[in-house]
Amino acid sequence: MKFVLKYKYYYILLTLSLSIVACDSGDIYEETTFKNEGIKCNTSIIFKNISSWPIDYQVAIAAYKKEEAIPSISKAIGKPSIGDTTHIELTGIPFDTDRISISILNKSRKSVTDLYSHSIQPKEIESQISSLGLLSIDLLDFTRVQNQFFANCINCHGGSSYAAADLNLTEGYSYNALVNVNSKIVNEKKLVTAGIESESFILDVLAHSSDNISYNHTNVSFNSQEEDVKLLKLWINSLK
């Protein structure tokens, strides 16, 4: 009788021990898997023309799935001081990410423009690490001006089969159509006079300050009209 009780006692202890070991092993495995989920991206950035740093928009490092304009994950970048290098890291980037960009986002988190873009490579998915290295980004690059400002104009100026005032402001055409091109309305002014905002007729148009302008452009819908016009002025003054 004693032998039977002793056998049952050891059997119960052995069963409990195996149960505890199995539970501990499972918990550790799940926790480790969760912590390693996603790609990690790091970069350092030197921003140029800090005076054009957006206020109503957000500069961010952002990860996008294919053909999507709203990032699946992003992290805001604070305004640096002139000459500073910004170091930033984004973790938990989904494996189905198509690109990682330094973007300007509007209040709806939709991308207005990419200041820099990097396509994710298979080896980065495998290693779960992506490094963009040291970047130099000009905040007055014309691509930003096109996407943040002129993209609001193309419904009338070249976005369809018609370009109002014979002025095409679509991508690839706008720069040559504006910079140092004579106005057809005011002879003594150019549409954009490089380096001089006060002599650029485009700003007269936006302010509707000439009687010869038939359409009131003060009602044009911008994401942020005051800041978008400020960007245009800064860009004009930076031209040589």
Side-chain angles (χ1 to χ4, degrees):
M1 183 69 176
K2 289 182 179 180
F3 175 80
V4 173
L5 290 174
K6 186 175 181 180
Y7 175 82
K8 287 185 176 179
Y9 174 76
Y10 283 123
Y11 178 80
I12 291 170
L13 285 178
L14 178 61
T15 302
L16 288 173
S17 298
L18 290 173
S19 176
I20 291 170
V21 169
C23 290
D24 285 348
S25 177
D27 288 344
I28 292 171
Y29 176 78
E30 290 177 3
E31 185 178 356
T32 303
T33 302
F34 176 77
K35 285 184 177 180
N36 289 337
E37 189 68 29
I39 302 168
K40 178 174 69 175
C41 179
N42 58 73
T43 186
S44 298
I45 310 170
I46 299 173
F47 288 99
K48 299 178 180 179
N49 289 305
I50 298 294
S51 60
S52 61
W53 189 271
I55 298 173
D56 293 339
Y57 300 89
Q58 182 185 84
V59 179
I61 180 171
Y64 301 85
K65 295 181 181 179
K66 191 173 183 179
E67 297 181 357
E68 291 190 357
I70 296 177
S72 53
I73 187 172
S74 64
K75 185 176 183 179
I77 300 174
K79 180 181 179 180
S81 298
I82 296 174
D84 282 358
T85 300
T86 298
H87 306 282
I88 192 162
E89 181 177 272
L90 182 64
T91 59
I93 300 169
F95 292 118
D96 58 351
T97 291
D98 180 65
R99 75 182 194 279
I100 299 173
S101 300
I102 308 301
S103 300
I104 293 181
L105 308 178
N106 64 19
K107 292 179 180 179
S108 300
R109 290 189 68 247
K110 183 178 181 180
S111 175
V112 175
T113 189
D114 286 344
L115 301 170
Y116 172 86
S117 190
H118 167 76
S119 297
I120 289 292
Q121 302 299 311
K123 64 180 181 180
E124 294 173 309
I125 297 174
E126 183 179 353
S127 67
Q128 299 180 211
I129 296 175
S130 175
S131 178
L132 306 184
L134 177 63
L135 305 177
S136 178
I137 292 178
D138 185 356
L139 291 166
L140 280 180
D141 184 85
F142 185 68
T143 299
R144 177 191 174 189
V145 180
Q146 176 67 43
N147 293 334
Q148 186 175 323
F149 187 90
F150 292 119
N152 299 289
C153 310
I154 61 176
N155 283 340
C156 296
H157 292 280
S160 61
S161 58
Y162 174 71
D166 197 29
L167 179 61
N168 189 338
L169 296 179
T170 59
E171 184 177 0
Y173 292 91
S174 54
Y175 188 98
N176 291 332
L178 290 168
V179 179
N180 294 325
V181 175
N182 292 327
S183 165
K184 295 178 181 179
I185 298 175
V186 179
N187 294 330
E188 65 271 18
K189 278 194 172 183
K190 299 181 185 301
L191 293 175
V192 168
T193 300
I196 312 174
E197 65 172 86
S198 61
E199 295 183 14
S200 297
F201 185 65
I202 189 172
L203 294 172
D204 296 340
V205 173
L206 291 169
H208 200 67
S209 59
S210 172
D211 295 334
N212 296 321
I213 302 169
S214 58
Y215 181 79
N216 186 351
H217 287 74
T218 60
N219 297 322
V220 175
S221 178
F222 291 92
N223 289 298
S224 173
Q225 186 162 6
E226 182 178 353
E227 185 163 328
D228 292 345
V229 172
K230 177 186 175 183
L231 173 66
L232 181 67
K233 291 178 178 178
L234 289 170
W235 170 70
I236 290 173
N237 290 331
S238 73
L239 295 173
K240 298 178 180 178

